[in-house]
């Protein structure tokens, strides 16, 4: 239970066995290498060469993964992959695969395809631009070469101008043509009423007049357009040519795409395996060195769980007799990482702590403390026996079907398996089975349901509200006691009393006092409660003024501290969400049954619609309510509970392991 | 005038479903925009983005829940027919709908903004998913409290 004890290991060995030692540490999966700066990592030259070769291959693998994966259609559904349906391979097999695979050739082929695809796309977009330009120039009756090349004596230009300027341009060119007959203005059809419309126009003129014509055109507001020099024939001829070339290019593009897809289909599984292989090697050779002690001896320092030490020692001593492994307890100045070490029952809840922040090595592991509360709170929020059965059944099916689920994923799923039990229990005692399914559709079971009911949120919500708030008080007070314990452990006796015990006394006292006053507890609890509350308040008052020489400031600090009790009120009321969310899922279920009931009144197809509505609706309800039932109890742990004693701030234990991104990789 | 009570009650139910629904729609929209932005960079974040995007959706459900609660209370669901309500009772039901209508509306929008920020956060730090979920959930607290208030008020109203 709690944070596992770690040992600091210093391992001295001869250079010649470096590779085997590094592999052994990685394969054990329980050593976190204490890292050092890159300059201090002095690897034997053969290892250095191996590492740089590995990194070179990794670059290829990454390129291929990035380029090919989007075109790869995995025959196995991604959900199955997530649940562990991945190839089982060993490092030895992968070494063989790596030596047989010519990654460079695949890269070259892929690059060639990519390169040509790029070229084809550029040509395509040019051709498409030309087609749209041709559409605009359709009014031009002559071959476009007049504009793009000109003849011996003539030249031309094209451009756009506002419709209102057309007559001006016409007049200006007309003035010129009085002298020279070989100038012509061609204008695309336009609507003279729409003055702001952009109109395409082209001018053909004698080469001698080029500069004057350009000047006139600019003055009249014509903005020139560049007609690409490939356009030579009439617009119709050119269009035909480009349409044909577009068809050709598109065909080539799709051919290249299918080539890329084929390459992907053929190579991605191998590339993925090699990705894990090379990443494992890069991790192994990149991380495992600390320093080079002497010319031929090397040193690696790492953390390992105390209970794994013997195993590691045996493995290492089997490699070479010339090794020296010294194990020591963490020194006070060390900040070891923390490894949560909880049994099967609590371990699924580890993720809740890790999502917040890992504890420090010497801190408290809050997982076993929050687990029972989270379990109860989740049950109260989802709170439906029918939903619980669905969740439980689905998870059992998943566990039966998928045997290779990764341990982390499996624990997370198991968390919901556990919580479905509390959901079932609360569903039974609050009489919720797929909402009010029993009342609506199977009245024969109503007496059974009612016999098992202990609380009834529908007709007596105040009762459940009371239970929710009571659980809140218990949760918070438990948090205070843990905080006090943690302080006492470190010898901070006064802080434990002043900060935590005092509030515990005040709040428990007030609760006793209140409940006794309402007659829910025997009268003598009133006196006990009052004594506790007063004692708590006095301690809080005095503790807050501690270390303050000025008597007025002492008093002010004391009152301010007591004012802090409002935050406890807020914390306690926050637990009313347990009622609200449980209510929410029950009523959503009720609404679905109601809609199903209404649908069943439709003639002939009613029963079918009702079934669809009820099944679909409840699936939706389960999904949305699981999200809420996970998030809100988690918040109660993080904000209300952890706020009393836990800050985390540790570093999680991350051992050097084989990379398992795509395959289940064994040593 | 004998239908004024019924009308007030229906008006309340409409506000609860509509305002809270509008809030959720805006909140989910804001968060969805951020999610789409993150996914253009990293499509693998779809799962976590979707969860964060869904968070501001609960207010709409709370509103719907209260609306159904009202319809059920005034007998408009099922074949029994509407119960007689005087205007006083109608106004009481109307008032009961206001907490979830107003708080649902506004909190969903702000929760959506927090979700969007959280989505940006997991784009850079995917390991911070736990914290990313909790931040929007802090906002939702007030919608939950409003839901609770509406439910308790509605249960207290005597009709029929």
């Amino acid at each position: 239970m709690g944070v596992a004890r770690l040992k600091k290991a210093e391992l001295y060995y001869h250079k010649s066995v470096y590779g085997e030692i590094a592999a052994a540490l990685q394969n054990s999966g329980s050593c976190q290498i204490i890292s050092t700066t890159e300059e201090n990592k002095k690897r034997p030259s053969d290892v250095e060469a191996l590492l740089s070769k590995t990194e070179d291959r990794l670059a290829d693998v990454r390129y291929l993964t990035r380029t090919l994966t989007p075109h790869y259609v995995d025959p196995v559904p991604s959900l199955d992959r997530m649940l562990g349906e991945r190839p089982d391979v060993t490092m030895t097999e992968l070494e063989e695969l790596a030596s047989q695979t010519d990654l460079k050739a695949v890269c070259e082929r892929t690059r060639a395809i990519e390169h040509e695809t790029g070229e084809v796309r550029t040509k395509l977009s040019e051709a498409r631009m030309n087609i749209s330009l041709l559409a605009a120039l359709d009014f031009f009756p002559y071959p476009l070469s007049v504009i793009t090349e000109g003849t011996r004596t003539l030249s031309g230009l094209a451009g756009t101008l506002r419709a209102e300027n057309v007559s001006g341009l016409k007049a200006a060119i007309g003035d010129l043509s009085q002298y020279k007959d070989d100038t012509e203005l061609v204008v695309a059809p336009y609507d003279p009423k729409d003055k702001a419309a952009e109109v395409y126009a082209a001018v053909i003129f004698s080469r001698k007049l080029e500069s004057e014509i350009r000047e006139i055109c600019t003055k009249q507001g014509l903005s020139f357009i560049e007609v690409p020099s490939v356009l030579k024939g009439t617009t119709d001829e050119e269009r035909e040519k480009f349409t044909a070339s577009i068809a050709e290019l598109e065909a080539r593009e799709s051919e290249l795409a299918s080539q890329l897809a084929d390459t992907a289909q053929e190579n991605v599984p191998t590339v993925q395996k090699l990705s894990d292989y090379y990443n494992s090697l890069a991790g192994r050779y990149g991380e495992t060195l600390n320093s080079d002690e002497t010319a031929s001896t090397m040193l690696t320092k790492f953390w390992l769980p105390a209970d794994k030490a013997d195993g590691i020692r045996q493995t290492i001593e089997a490699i070479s007799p010339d090794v020296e492994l010294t194990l020591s307890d963490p020194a006070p100045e060390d900040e070891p990482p923390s490894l949560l070490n909880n049994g099967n029952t609590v371990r699924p809840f580890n993720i809740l702590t890790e999502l917040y922040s890992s504890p420090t090595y010497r801190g408290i592991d809050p997982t076993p403390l929050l687990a029972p509360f989270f379990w109860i709170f989740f049950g109260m929020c989802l709170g439906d026996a029918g939903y619980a059965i669905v969740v439980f059944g689905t998870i059992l099916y998943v566990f039966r079907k998928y045997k290779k689920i990764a341990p982390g994923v499996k624990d997370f799923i198991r968390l919901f398996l556990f919580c479905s039990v509390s959901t079932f229990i609360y569903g039974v005692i609050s009489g919720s089975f797929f909402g009010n399914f029993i009342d609506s559709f199977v009245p024969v079971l109503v007496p059974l349901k009612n016999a098992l009911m202990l609380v009834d949120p529908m007709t007596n919500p105040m009762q459940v509200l009371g239970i929710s708030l009571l659980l809140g008080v218990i949760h918070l007070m438990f948090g205070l006691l843990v905080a006090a314990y943690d302080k006492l452990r470190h010898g901070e006796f006064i802080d434990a009393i002043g900060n935590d015990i005092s509030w515990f006394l005040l709040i428990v006292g007030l609760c006793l006092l209140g409940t006794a006053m309402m007659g829910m507890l025997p009268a003598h609890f009133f006196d006990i409660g009052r004594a506790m509350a007063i004692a708590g308040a006095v301690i809080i008052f005095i503790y807050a003024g501690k270390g303050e020489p000025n008597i007025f400031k002492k008093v002010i600090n004391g009152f301010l501290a007591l004012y802090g009790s409002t935050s406890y009120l807020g914390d306690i009321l926050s637990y009313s969400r347990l009622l609200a969310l449980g209510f929410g899922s029950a009523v959503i279920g009720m609404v679905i049954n109601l809609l199903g009931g209404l649908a069943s009144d439709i003639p002939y197809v009613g029963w079918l619609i009702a079934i669809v509505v009820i099944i679909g609706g409840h699936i939706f309800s389960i999904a949305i309510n699981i999200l809420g039932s996970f998030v809100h109890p988690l918040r109660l742990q993080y904000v209300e509970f952890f706020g009393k004693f836990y800050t985390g701030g540790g570093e999680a234990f991350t051992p050097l392991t084989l990379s398992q991104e795509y395959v289940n990789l064994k040593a | 005038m004998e239908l004024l009570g019924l009308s007030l009650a229906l008006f309340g139910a409409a506000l609860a479903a509509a305002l809270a629904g509008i809030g959720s729609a805006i909140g989910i929209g804001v968060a969805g925009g951020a999610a789409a932005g993150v996914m253009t960079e990293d499509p693998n974040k779809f799962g976590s983005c979707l969860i964060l995007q869904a968070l501001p959706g609960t207010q709409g459900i709370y509103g719907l829940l209260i609306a159904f609660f009202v319809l059920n209370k005034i007998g408009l669901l099922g074949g029994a027919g509407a119960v007689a309500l005087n205007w006083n009772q109608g106004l009481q039901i109307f008032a009961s709908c206001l907490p979830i209508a107003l708080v649902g509306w506004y909190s969903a929008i702000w929760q959506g903004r927090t979700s969007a920020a959280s989505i940006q956060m997991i784009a850079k730090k995917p390991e911070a998913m736990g914290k990313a979920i909790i931040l929007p959930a802090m906002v939702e607290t007030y919608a939950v409290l409003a839901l609770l208030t509406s439910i308790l008020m509605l249960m207290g109203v005597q009709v029929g």
Side-chain angles (χ1 to χ4, degrees):
Chain A
M1 296 282 260
V3 183
R5 235 161 43 82
L6 297 188
K7 290 275 186 192
K8 186 180 194 175
E10 296 188 1
L11 177 63
Y12 298 87
Y13 49 94
H14 191 266
K15 264 182 179 176
S16 59
V17 291
Y18 169 70
E20 288 161 81
I21 294 278
L25 295 184
Q26 184 175 39
N27 294 341
S28 76
S30 48
C31 305
Q32 177 174 338
I33 310 297
I34 300 173
S35 61
T36 178
T37 52
E38 192 61 32
E39 303 88 74
N40 287 344
K41 291 181 183 168
K42 300 200 185 74
R43 305 178 183 89
S45 59
D46 52 332
V47 175
E48 195 68 63
L50 202 56
L51 181 62
S52 77
K53 188 180 145 203
T54 304
E55 275 165 0
D56 180 47
R57 293 287 158 80
L58 255 185
D60 289 343
V61 165
R62 288 200 191 108
Y63 165 73
L64 288 175
T65 314
R66 198 175 57 237
T67 320
L68 294 182
T69 314
H71 303 277
Y72 175 65
V73 185
D74 195 338
V76 181
S78 59
L79 184 69
D80 289 15
R81 288 280 187 221
M82 221 170 69
L83 293 170
E85 289 305 302
R86 311 183 305 172
D88 294 296
V89 284
T90 64
M91 281 299 269
T92 331
E93 285 165 16
L94 286 187
E95 198 179 339
E96 174 114 17
L97 179 70
S99 68
Q100 287 165 356
T101 311
D102 191 353
L103 271 181
K104 293 277 176 223
V106 183
C107 279
E108 230 162 77
R109 198 155 69 236
T110 311
R111 282 209 180 88
I113 297 174
E114 259 202 324
H115 184 72
E116 201 190 333
T117 309
E119 279 177 347
V120 167
R121 289 202 178 130
T122 317
K123 284 185 192 155
L124 257 179
S125 78
E126 271 172 22
R128 288 193 179 118
M129 262 161 56
N130 285 337
I131 291 260
S132 65
L133 182 63
L134 286 170
L137 292 178
D138 246 352
F139 66 91
F140 193 70
Y142 312 113
L144 291 167
S145 63
V146 178
I147 296 175
T148 52
E149 289 174 341
T151 63
R152 199 162 52 78
T153 54
L154 289 178
S155 183
L157 57 83
T160 62
L161 76 171
R162 288 159 69 92
E164 56 187 346
N165 295 339
V166 172
S167 51
L169 182 62
K170 250 183 199 157
I173 287 177
D175 287 348
L176 271 184
S177 339
Q178 283 174 351
Y179 308 97
K180 317 282 170 196
D181 293 336
D182 44 8
T183 306
E184 184 183 353
L185 172 68
V186 199
V187 182
Y190 70 102
D191 174 10
K193 278 181 224 142
D194 187 0
K195 288 185 178 163
E198 287 289 310
V199 178
Y200 278 87
V203 189
I204 301 165
F205 46 83
S206 160
R207 279 190 186 277
K208 282 177 272 176
L209 284 176
E210 169 126 27
S211 60
E212 283 146 294
I213 291 281
R214 283 193 181 268
E215 199 178 308
I216 289 170
C217 290
T218 316
K219 213 183 261 174
Q220 297 298 329
L222 183 91
S223 42
F224 302 109
I225 42 180
E226 192 64 39
V227 182
S229 56
V230 288
L231 301 178
K232 295 203 170 71
T234 61
T235 49
D236 285 336
E237 287 164 18
E238 290 294 333
R239 188 170 10 249
E240 205 171 301
K241 209 166 82 191
F242 278 105
T243 316
S245 97
I246 285 181
E248 212 170 278
L249 288 168
E250 277 174 345
R252 183 63 191 156
E253 192 189 17
S254 68
E255 193 181 317
L256 286 170
S258 79
Q259 275 181 21
L260 195 61
D262 289 347
T263 317
Q265 218 55 31
E266 188 185 334
N267 292 295
V268 166
T270 312
V271 169
Q272 287 182 338
K273 282 180 190 160
L274 291 181
S275 167
D276 275 341
Y277 175 68
Y278 286 120
N279 270 317
S280 297
L281 287 187
R284 178 187 299 177
Y285 297 126
E287 294 300 319
T288 41
L289 277 181
N290 295 116
S291 65
D292 196 352
E293 284 294 293
T294 67
S296 53
T297 320
M298 296 177 60
L299 165 66
T300 299
K301 293 183 195 168
F302 52 90
W303 296 111
L304 85 166
D307 55 352
K308 297 275 165 58
D310 289 342
I312 295 279
R313 185 184 291 280
Q314 279 169 16
T315 320
I316 284 169
E317 281 171 357
I319 293 173
S320 154
D322 305 325
V323 295
E324 174 65 24
L325 176 66
T326 60
L327 296 170
S328 56
D329 286 322
E333 70 275 11
D334 283 333
E335 272 302 331
S338 63
L339 169 67
L340 299 185
N341 183 21
N342 289 310
N344 281 335
T345 332
V346 177
R347 204 180 55 239
F349 295 87
N350 279 357
I351 185 151
L352 304 180
T353 301
E354 282 157 4
L355 275 174
Y356 185 82
S357 174
S358 287
T360 55
Y361 178 69
R362 296 174 187 85
I364 288 184
D365 173 15
T367 316
L369 312 176
L370 69 79
F373 289 102
F374 184 85
W375 186 75
I376 295 172
F377 294 169
F378 186 99
M380 285 181 75
C381 289
L382 192 54
D384 188 288
Y387 293 177
I389 292 172
V390 172
V391 172
F392 192 85
T394 311
I395 293 176
L396 282 193
Y397 169 76
V398 166
F399 281 172
R400 271 179 70 106
K401 179 162 178 215
Y402 301 99
K403 298 291 184 198
K404 301 193 291 188
I405 307 175
V409 179
K410 194 160 188 172
D411 275 345
F412 189 58
I413 300 177
R414 206 177 271 141
L415 176 67
F416 290 95
L417 187 72
F418 286 0
C419 287
S420 70
V421 176
S422 59
T423 306
F424 182 80
I425 295 172
Y426 187 75
V428 169
I429 62 176
S430 67
S432 184
F433 181 85
F434 293 106
N436 63 348
F437 192 84
I438 293 180
D439 299 79
S440 302
F441 303 111
V442 256
V444 64
L445 289 177
V446 170
L448 175 69
K449 184 204 83 174
N450 289 343
L452 293 170
M453 266 171 80
L454 297 176
V455 293
D456 188 355
M458 287 295 167
T459 54
N460 189 3
M462 295 313 284
Q463 182 191 22
V464 182
L465 183 63
I467 294 172
S468 301
L469 298 185
L470 180 66
L471 280 170
V473 172
I474 295 173
H475 197 208
L476 289 172
M477 293 307 107
F478 184 57
L480 281 178
L481 290 182
V482 175
Y485 164 77
D486 196 32
K487 291 201 177 87
L488 290 176
R489 213 166 58 124
H490 294 104
E492 299 158 3
F493 184 70
I494 301 206
D495 288 334
I497 303 266
N499 250 333
D500 304 317
I501 301 287
S502 55
W503 283 107
F504 179 83
L505 288 173
L506 177 61
I507 288 162
V508 174
L510 285 177
C511 289
L512 290 179
L513 194 142
T515 39
M517 227 155 67
M518 287 190 284
M520 286 191 245
L521 285 174
H524 58 267
F525 277 98
F526 182 85
D527 297 323
I528 300 176
R530 190 171 54 186
M532 282 173 77
I534 291 172
V538 168
I539 299 173
I540 292 165
F541 193 86
I542 294 171
Y543 179 77
K546 185 184 64 133
E548 183 60 67
N550 186 324
I551 183 78
F552 287 109
K553 283 197 178 164
K554 257 188 204 296
V555 173
I556 290 172
N557 281 354
F559 278 118
L560 279 179
L562 283 176
Y563 184 70
S565 53
T566 52
S567 79
Y568 279 88
L569 186 69
D571 282 354
I572 293 169
L573 286 180
S574 182
Y575 289 80
S576 64
R577 77 186 69 227
L578 297 177
L579 162 68
L581 288 166
F583 215 95
S585 27
V587 176
I588 292 173
M590 205 172 89
V591 168
I592 292 162
N593 293 333
L594 196 90
L595 291 178
L598 292 177
S600 66
D601 295 339
I602 300 169
Y604 307 116
V605 290
W607 59 274
L608 188 65
I609 298 177
I611 289 173
V612 170
V613 166
I614 288 175
I615 292 179
H618 282 301
I619 288 175
F620 168 78
S621 167
I622 290 174
I624 195 87
N625 282 310
I626 282 184
L627 181 61
S629 308
F630 180 75
V631 167
H632 285 278
L634 197 61
R635 175 225 139 97
L636 291 176
Q637 310 298 335
Y638 287 178
V639 181
E640 276 77 13
F641 189 52
F642 281 4
K644 302 289 166 283
F645 71 96
Y646 184 71
T647 47
E651 179 208 343
F653 181 74
T654 39
L656 177 70
T657 52
L658 295 169
S659 162
Q660 306 218 30
E661 199 180 343
Y662 300 107
V663 294
N664 299 329
L665 186 51
K666 300 261 155 39
Chain B
M1 284 299 276
E2 76 270 22
L3 286 178
L4 180 60
L6 184 64
S7 305
L8 280 170
L10 280 177
F11 191 37
L15 281 186
L19 290 185
I22 289 171
S24 279
I26 297 175
I28 289 193
V30 171
V38 168
M39 278 188 289
T40 47
E41 287 289 318
D42 184 1
N44 292 333
K45 294 218 167 72
F46 179 66
S48 15
C49 280
L50 189 71
I51 289 178
L52 286 169
Q53 195 199 353
L55 289 177
T58 32
Q59 281 86 343
I61 295 172
Y62 296 158
L64 175 81
L65 203 148
I66 291 297
F68 266 97
F69 211 108
V70 171
L71 295 183
N72 199 30
K73 187 153 187 108
I74 61 182
L76 285 187
L77 292 177
V83 295
L85 285 179
N86 60 36
W87 71 269
N88 233 319
Q89 292 165 326
L91 196 58
Q92 287 166 10
I93 290 179
F94 179 80
S96 311
C97 293
L98 288 184
I100 194 58
L102 296 177
V103 181
W105 176 32
Y106 241 71
S107 69
I109 296 173
W110 283 97
Q111 193 176 357
R113 293 189 189 179
T114 318
S115 277
S118 284
I119 288 170
Q120 306 281 0
M121 182 166 110
I122 59 153
K124 286 201 170 171
K125 291 184 184 295
E127 69 280 3
M129 185 64 187
K131 297 167 186 105
I133 289 185
I134 289 302
L135 296 181
M138 299 296 287
V139 185
E140 191 171 321
T141 302
Y142 302 97
V144 173
L145 295 182
L147 170 70
L148 193 64
T149 315
S150 285
I151 289 175
L152 294 179
M153 285 170 82
L154 272 178
M155 290 190 130
V157 176
Q158 302 294 325
V159 298

